[in-house]
Amino acid sequence: MPSAPPVLLVTSEIYPFSKTGGLGDVLGALPAALARQGLNVAVVTPLYGRMSTGGHPIHLVRPGVPVGYPWAPITCDVYMANFQGVPVYFIDRAEFFDRRYYYCTHHGDYFDNCERFVFLARAALAWARRLETPPAVIHLHDWQTAVAAAFLHFARPKDPLLADTRCVLTIHNLAFQGRFASRLFETSGLPWEAWGMDGVEFYGDFNLLKAGIAYADCITTVSPGYAREIVTPEFGCGLEGILGRRKGCLHGILNGADYEVWDPGADRYLPMPYGPGSLAGKQVCKEHLIAAYDLDPALARRPILGFIGRLRRQKGIDLVLAAMDELMRLNVGLVVLGEGNLEFEARLADMAERYPGRVWAHIGYTEEMAHYIQAGTDIFLMPSRYEPCGLTQMYALRFGTPPVATAVGGLRDTIVPHPAPGATGFTFDAPDPARLVEAVGRAVAVWEDAPAWQALQERGMRTAFSWDDSAQGYLDVYRSLGAKI
Ligand code: ADP
Ligand code: GLC
């Protein structure tokens, strides 16, 4: 019996193979969660030169699949891995994906990102047509794959194989749009009809994310709060107009957290496991962290703040830097893990020199340290200017490290702010250094009341953001489109 038409997820990142942030984490969990809903699921993603296999054997399934981009006969090789029972198809075209980084170097974006990701979109559709049964749904993620919605839209009327395929776009971050010169539209292979206000054109440029917003059958974003925010000029990044016009099919579905990966009770990176009801291990993790990072031993009896994230204005790292002297006056420590903007990296290094033993910063990207810092710190800082969902605060809750966060987007949807009943963390209204310091001050005051702090920690640790709930939300969306799943 042929299997049901699949839901084909198309993504530029999937943990553990590839990851630069939350997008990778989401795609590392969503496919299996959808499969648990009884769906036939497959994934398409690039075969990066720098990719990890995550211990999964990857083998060639089809060489020389014609993609036809831009106009010349160009092909890709397709590899496959079985990941948690889901086939993941890797698109191999070395000139596009065998690079040191995924999207950019310290000097800026790769010059050919438009070609790279238009190619990925076209290769995904080419592969979709070759599956045993064509997909019921093509589910795209962010600007790197969004333009596939436009290609599908114009192919459907004349392509019987894809005629019934529905298309969903999930926006993980509206600020990254894949905006390119209009001449790249001309070589993309899209028809001229696509060039316009309700199409891919954006202030005279070719906008790949807008292509998805314009042509997907339905748009989702990763929290209900962010879904409400992005139709406003404050958060819409210039796309609030078209998003407002498409509001009827815009849904907010909260991400889950993958507790197979993020659980202090079974974390291979920690010196001692812990969980709610057995917090002794957390203190051991903290003492290890103090020793490993050469922090002042007196911090064992004072709160240590943690920050993990891309060093960009989105994450409010500049607010932490601006607030540093005031934060230090609260007699706390601070541990930062991140990379990104060179100015922020340099200023963090300066702060670590100015406050030796109190401020520690690692500039770089390491999965292991992220776990270690989640466990070994007391209070997690997330002063984001906007946050579509945010996963690190979910992990911090599970690790007994109550977050102090701006009340925006997914942060507002996932943190119950003290002193409300059932509080799990602390929020503040606007991204400014004084408010951040004030909120950290409130957190430190509760930390000093050990039983109250433990109650807050334990509530956070018992909160679960389930991928099964999110998958159910996506299933409802697919069904609402009449997809033959
Ligand atoms: P975003 O996707 O906006 O970067 P999220 O909170 O959704 O934010 O997800 C961030 C993910 O990236 C988390 O898994 C976090 O641990 C990880 N991460 C961010 N920066 C680093 C870093 N420097 N080293 C290791 N992991 C990091
Ligand atoms: C984006 C957002 C982040 C979200 C992640 C996964 O990178 O910045 O808030 O958690 O995608 O959806």
Side-chain angles (χ1 to χ4, degrees):
M1 199 181 85
S3 39
V7 171
L8 188 65
L9 306 178
V10 188
T11 176
S12 61
E13 296 180 29
I14 173 169
Y15 179 84
F17 304 100
S18 53
K19 165 173 169 181
T20 70
L23 175 66
D25 283 356
V26 167
L27 272 295
L30 178 60
L34 289 171
R36 287 196 295 276
Q37 298 289 331
L39 294 176
N40 177 10
V41 184
V43 180
V44 171
T45 196
L47 188 101
Y48 295 107
R50 56 163 300 163
M51 205 175 76
S52 149
T53 65
H56 301 273
I58 299 180
H59 63 273
L60 181 67
V61 285
R62 186 80 61 94
V65 175
V67 174
Y69 170 78
W71 300 109
I74 188 171
T75 61
C76 66
D77 295 339
V78 179
Y79 286 73
M80 194 193 93
N82 182 314
F83 175 53
Q84 300 175 342
V86 171
V88 177
Y89 297 107
F90 295 94
I91 302 296
D92 181 27
R93 182 88 208 170
E95 80 220 51
F96 288 138
F97 302 123
D98 187 3
R99 304 266 167 107
R100 175 119 187 244
Y101 300 97
Y102 295 102
Y103 315 121
C104 56
T105 69
H106 269 123
H107 301 295
D109 291 344
Y110 284 126
F111 74 97
D112 57 350
N113 271 354
C114 186
E115 289 90 336
R116 296 173 76 211
F117 291 103
V118 170
F119 177 81
L120 175 64
R122 297 189 57 139
L125 290 181
W127 188 244
R129 301 180 79 261
R130 286 171 170 253
L131 295 172
E132 191 188 346
T133 34
V137 178
I138 293 190
H139 186 163
L140 309 169
H141 296 268
D142 271 356
W143 72 267
Q144 298 91 332
T145 60
V147 72
F151 286 108
L152 179 65
H153 173 86
F154 291 103
R156 270 192 304 213
K158 30 187 204 271
D159 185 341
L161 277 179
L162 296 177
D164 285 334
T165 301
R166 303 294 191 261
C167 184
V168 177
L169 167 71
T170 296
I171 300 172
H172 296 260
N173 195 333
L174 196 59
F176 296 90
Q177 298 179 3
R179 187 173 168 176
F180 303 100
S182 58
R183 68 180 167 75
L184 292 168
F185 168 76
E186 292 167 28
T187 50
S188 69
L190 281 171
W192 271 107
E193 300 160 70
W195 188 255
M197 226 179 84
D198 287 315
V200 305
E201 187 265 342
F202 186 67
Y203 297 101
D205 287 338
F206 180 26
N207 185 316
L208 300 192
L209 184 66
K210 186 165 179 253
I213 295 173
Y215 294 110
D217 298 309
C218 174
I219 304 154
T220 73
T221 188
V222 287
S223 70
Y226 195 57
R228 286 190 296 274
E229 287 171 349
I230 57 178
V231 294
T232 68
E234 194 187 347
F235 292 97
C237 301
L239 290 170
E240 59 277 5
I242 188 165
L243 283 165
R245 292 197 287 285
R246 302 227 54 198
K247 210 170 163 181
C249 61
L250 170 64
H251 306 272
I253 299 175
L254 192 70
N255 285 333
D258 188 345
Y259 298 118
E260 297 282 313
V261 180
W262 297 95
D263 170 16
D267 191 316
R268 64 195 163 111
Y269 299 121
L270 305 188
M272 188 170 159
Y274 65 92
S278 63
L279 276 160
K282 183 157 177 79
Q283 186 65 22
V284 171
C285 292
K286 179 172 173 177
E287 281 160 20
H288 267 252
L289 179 134
I290 290 173
Y293 299 168
D294 222 1
L295 294 174
D296 180 353
L299 284 172
R301 292 176 306 284
R302 288 300 297 166
I304 301 182
L305 316 176
F307 179 102
I308 301 167
R310 292 178 288 113
L311 301 179
R312 298 185 66 107
R313 274 174 61 80
Q314 175 191 349
K315 300 291 175 183
I317 184 63
D318 54 316
L319 306 177
V320 177
L321 285 161
M324 193 69 78
D325 295 336
E326 296 289 314
L327 290 173
M328 289 300 114
R329 263 181 228 126
L330 296 170
N331 191 14
V332 296
L334 171 67
V335 169
V336 176
L337 169 63
E339 64 176 357
N341 176 302
L342 287 178
E343 181 203 324
F344 296 146
E345 292 183 358
R347 285 173 63 194
L348 274 169
D350 283 349
M351 288 297 173
E353 267 180 35
R354 183 144 128 216
Y355 292 103
R358 301 277 304 287
V359 174
W360 185 93
H362 179 83
I363 306 302
Y365 193 98
T366 107
E367 209 62 42
E368 175 172 358
M369 274 188 188
H371 287 247
Y372 199 60
I373 294 170
Q374 287 277 6
T377 55
D378 299 284
I379 295 171
F380 193 79
L381 297 186
M382 209 148 166
S384 306
R385 285 195 166 72
Y386 70 92
E387 198 58 74
C389 177
L391 298 172
T392 43
Q393 84 283 7
M394 295 183 183
Y395 306 153
L397 288 166
R398 178 54 62 111
F399 276 67
T401 312
V404 172
T406 356
V408 288
L411 297 173
R412 199 206 308 257
D413 289 345
T414 52
I415 299 168
V416 183
H418 186 271
T424 55
F426 302 82
T427 60
F428 55 102
D429 287 343
D432 92 28
R435 290 197 169 107
L436 167 64
V437 172
E438 181 272 330
V440 173
R442 283 188 275 132
V444 169
V446 180
W447 183 90
E448 283 165 352
D449 175 352
W453 186 254
Q454 191 173 331
L456 186 91
Q457 279 179 301
E458 299 221 346
R459 274 195 301 273
M461 296 179 86
R462 292 199 160 91
T463 306
F465 299 98
S466 144
W467 267 116
D468 291 330
D469 293 347
S470 319
Q472 177 69 55
Y474 288 111
L475 183 61
D476 292 345
V477 165
Y478 304 153
R479 285 207 177 112
S480 74
L481 298 176
K484 298 189 174 132
I485 39 180

